Amino acid sequence: CGAVPENLIESELFGHEAGAFTGAEKRRIGKIEHAHQGTLFLDEVESMPMPLQIKLLRVLEEQKVERLGSNHVQQVDVRIIAATKSNLKTLSDEGVFRADLYYRLNVVKVDIPPLRERKEDIPTLFHHFVLIAAARYDRESIPLNAGQATKLTHHDWPGNVRELRNLAERYVLLGPAALDETDTAQDTNVNGRRTLAELMDGFERLALISALNACHGSIKDTMVELGIARKTLYDKMKKHGLDKAEFKE
């Protein structure tokens, strides 16, 4: 829910008829209707606007949905699974989330602790994401050694599973040098996030290390690998404190 703009989420979930609003040139079936006789997963349900919470409650209570711009009610048989990163009970007590919807959703509750509280799962999850990324990019899946696995478990993972998945993708694309990023705590701000400039610098450094490793420190081969001029390569190596001698076998 949080990924969809507020002015579009109603149409996405409930659908609309042609002419229901400006730009609605044809009928659109919403996600709830598409999930008929199936399951619909709603992520970050706490971000759903209050008016839509009322409509969702009606779907749960009556198993009926009405498209925008329509007077016809569609019968649906759908199971809703909702995920949240906030405490919905607290939000409902504060009046930010409807209490009746909270109790209607809270049939079976599954608490999934953050990675920092289940670090024994990190190597297994990382391997899983590496296999997915390797298949996606048609790359080799390189298993972690014991030292690399330990390094992952020592990281706090402020970005939780998304951060781990992104690191696994970089690991597949750039090799073991990508794991060096977990050591650079100074690159993160107080919220555990980094600016665009910091992210770009980090990626540039990892790309240089990966290319220098692959080319065994050869400046000529690294220039070809990265498609940059000799002076540019030397300037970037100096910027990131890299010495070609460190990469020679």
Side-chain angles (χ1 to χ4, degrees):
C1 296
V4 183
E6 187 172 330
N7 61 330
L8 295 179
I9 189 171
E10 184 172 9
S11 174
E12 285 290 323
L13 287 178
F14 299 93
H16 63 255
E17 296 290 343
F21 52 85
T22 303
E25 298 178 356
K26 58 183 180 180
R27 172 185 291 178
R28 177 187 177 91
I29 304 299
K31 296 291 191 289
I32 294 174
E33 277 191 73
H34 271 302
H36 178 58
Q37 295 186 333
T39 301
L40 178 64
F41 176 67
L42 299 177
D43 195 11
E44 297 184 9
V45 70
E46 75 279 1
S47 64
M48 180 175 288
M50 191 66 73
L52 292 191
Q53 293 181 29
I54 299 172
K55 295 191 69 171
L56 178 60
L57 180 63
R58 182 186 181 189
V59 172
L60 294 172
E61 294 284 1
E62 304 176 10
Q63 293 287 288
K64 294 178 181 178
V65 63
E66 185 177 330
R67 301 187 197 117
L68 281 170
S70 173
N71 294 321
H72 181 66
V73 175
Q74 300 282 340
Q75 195 74 32
V76 291
D77 177 15
V78 60
R79 175 175 56 186
I80 301 291
I81 297 178
T84 176
K85 58 185 178 183
S86 304
N87 188 318
L88 288 186
K89 181 63 169 66
T90 300
L91 294 181
S92 67
D93 291 341
E94 295 172 351
V96 179
F97 194 85
R98 288 186 64 94
D100 47 6
L101 179 57
Y102 164 71
Y103 288 113
R104 191 64 184 82
L105 288 171
N106 193 27
V107 178
V108 177
K109 182 180 178 182
V110 179
D111 288 316
I112 302 177
L115 283 180
R116 62 180 176 273
E117 295 179 11
R118 51 189 176 108
K119 293 194 171 184
E120 67 279 2
D121 293 340
I122 290 174
T124 302
L125 285 171
F126 185 81
H127 178 65
H128 170 70
F129 291 135
V130 163
L131 291 178
I132 293 175
R136 177 181 179 184
Y137 297 112
D138 193 23
R139 295 291 188 93
E140 181 183 359
S141 171
I142 305 173
L144 293 173
N145 59 39
Q148 291 168 333
T150 300
K151 179 185 290 188
L152 292 181
T153 60
H154 287 169
H155 187 57
D156 286 336
W157 301 105
N160 212 21
V161 176
R162 287 187 178 93
E163 182 183 357
L164 183 67
R165 182 177 60 224
N166 290 341
L167 179 61
E169 286 201 16
R170 291 196 296 275
Y171 177 76
V172 168
L173 293 171
L174 301 175
L179 300 181
D180 293 340
E181 191 171 322
T182 60
D183 292 331
T184 55
Q186 67 274 16
D187 287 344
T188 58
N189 61 27
V190 293
N191 294 319
R193 299 175 181 173
R194 294 185 297 161
T195 65
L196 177 60
E198 290 169 338
L199 287 169
M200 292 176 67
D201 274 348
F203 181 82
E204 182 178 78
R205 184 175 189 277
L206 291 174
L208 286 168
I209 292 173
S210 178
L212 286 164
N213 269 324
C215 299
H216 308 296
S218 168
I219 295 299
K220 181 179 179 181
D221 292 344
T222 304
M223 289 165 48
V224 175
E225 177 79 10
L226 296 175
I228 58 178
R230 180 182 295 270
K231 184 179 185 305
T232 302
L233 176 58
Y234 274 119
D235 287 345
K236 291 186 179 298
M237 289 173 62
K238 181 178 180 181
K239 171 185 173 183
H240 294 288
L242 302 176
D243 186 343
K244 64 180 181 180
E246 299 173 2
F247 303 93
K248 292 185 179 295
E249 291 185 337

